[in-house]
Amino acid sequence: MKKTIFILFLVCLTFNGYSQKGYIITQSDSLKIGFLKYQRNDKSQLEIELWETKRDKNPKKYLLSELNEYAIKKDTFRVFTNVYPYKGESLFFDILELRIIKKGKLNLYSGFEIDGGIGNDLFITGTRNTAEAQMALNPSFNLRGFTISKRIFVIEDNTGNIQVINRKDFIDDLSMFLNYDKYSAKLPNQKLLYDDIPKLIELYNRSK
């Protein structure tokens, strides 16, 4: 059984120390556009600094827990707080950031697991680069047998329920959200693969 309290550590090397054009959406749905910088505050909490202009002398700072969504250049991320994303498991995440893949009747996100195996923690990052950065910043991860998974998909329904789609049982997991046979029949592959999930979700979101 893995430990049940987790905090995500996302290190965006592409703009670590630099501000990049983007936007944030707060938990109150307030949209703010500017230049973003990802950092830790003096309490070691993850936060995003928002500059209205590159010469902004008083940038505003937001904890990740205060955000609903943010974008840096072409990458857009959804922020979840206090969630249990694994079906049938009590794995709890304080903060979970996932890259947005599709939006619609079902929202689709992706991430990468850093898994320590039985008895160790499990982390999820939004991109493989950030997963690799975490492994590099934490040498003990390699010594303790942590590994980076293949990409995982996470679905959110219109009630706000989110669930990681398990690679081994992904057809059963998908069937909880849509009529699998109906939409998989429209795909060119005779056998649906895990990486076909974005196409399946797109078909479902386009349907009436």
Side-chain angles (χ1 to χ4, degrees):
M1 173 71 72
K2 295 185 177 69
K3 298 177 183 178
T4 56
I5 299 179
F6 306 95
I7 299 176
L8 171 68
F9 299 95
L10 177 60
V11 181
C12 291
L13 298 181
T14 55
F15 65 107
N16 189 21
Y18 302 92
S19 59
Q20 299 285 342
K21 193 171 183 180
Y23 69 80
I24 65 170
I25 299 177
T26 66
Q27 290 285 354
S28 60
D29 287 331
S30 176
L31 171 66
K32 301 181 184 297
I33 300 172
F35 297 88
L36 309 186
K37 185 177 178 181
Y38 197 96
Q39 61 188 23
R40 287 184 180 275
N41 60 23
D42 55 5
K43 296 181 180 178
S44 197
Q45 295 170 309
L46 296 168
E47 67 181 13
I48 286 183
E49 194 171 74
L50 174 68
W51 300 47
E52 292 186 2
T53 68
K54 286 193 173 180
R55 295 185 178 181
D56 192 342
K57 294 183 179 180
N58 297 295
K60 295 180 180 178
K61 297 178 180 180
Y62 298 86
L63 293 175
L64 287 185
S65 57
E66 298 176 301
L67 302 182
N68 182 54
E69 182 179 309
Y70 72 90
I72 301 289
K73 290 188 173 180
K74 295 180 180 180
D75 291 327
T76 306
F77 296 89
R78 175 78 160 85
V79 181
F80 296 93
T81 57
N82 303 321
V83 292
Y84 296 85
Y86 288 87
K87 181 182 68 175
E89 297 188 38
S90 58
L91 298 179
F92 173 79
F93 287 74
D94 296 310
I95 299 175
L96 181 61
E97 295 172 278
L98 297 166
R99 176 179 277 176
I100 297 174
I101 304 298
K102 301 287 181 183
K103 280 188 171 183
K105 292 182 292 184
L106 291 176
N107 295 326
L108 182 67
Y109 310 100
S110 71
F112 289 83
E113 295 174 328
I114 304 177
D115 191 353
I118 296 173
N120 282 316
D121 292 340
L122 171 70
F123 304 95
I124 295 179
T125 66
T127 68
R128 186 170 184 85
N129 285 343
T130 57
E132 291 173 348
Q134 272 306 308
M135 295 288 284
L137 289 172
N138 295 276
S140 66
F141 279 6
N142 285 316
L143 295 175
R144 293 161 60 192
F146 279 78
T147 58
I148 301 174
S149 74
K150 294 181 179 180
R151 182 169 63 158
I152 59 168
F153 290 114
V154 181
I155 290 179
E156 179 187 25
D157 64 21
N158 58 11
T159 69
N161 174 56
I162 70 168
Q163 182 180 313
V164 172
I165 304 302
N166 188 300
R167 277 188 169 268
K168 180 182 286 188
D169 305 313
F170 75 92
I171 292 177
D172 288 340
D173 286 351
L174 285 171
S175 296
M176 296 179 64
F177 295 94
L178 49 80
N179 184 330
Y180 166 78
D181 291 330
K182 175 180 177 181
Y183 294 100
S184 62
K186 298 180 181 180
L187 294 177
N189 293 342
Q190 292 183 349
K191 182 178 180 181
L192 184 70
L193 304 175
Y194 189 84
D195 288 340
D196 291 326
I197 289 176
K199 298 175 185 176
L200 196 69
I201 297 300
E202 184 175 359
L203 284 172
Y204 176 80
N205 285 342
R206 286 181 177 178
S207 65
K208 296 182 179 179

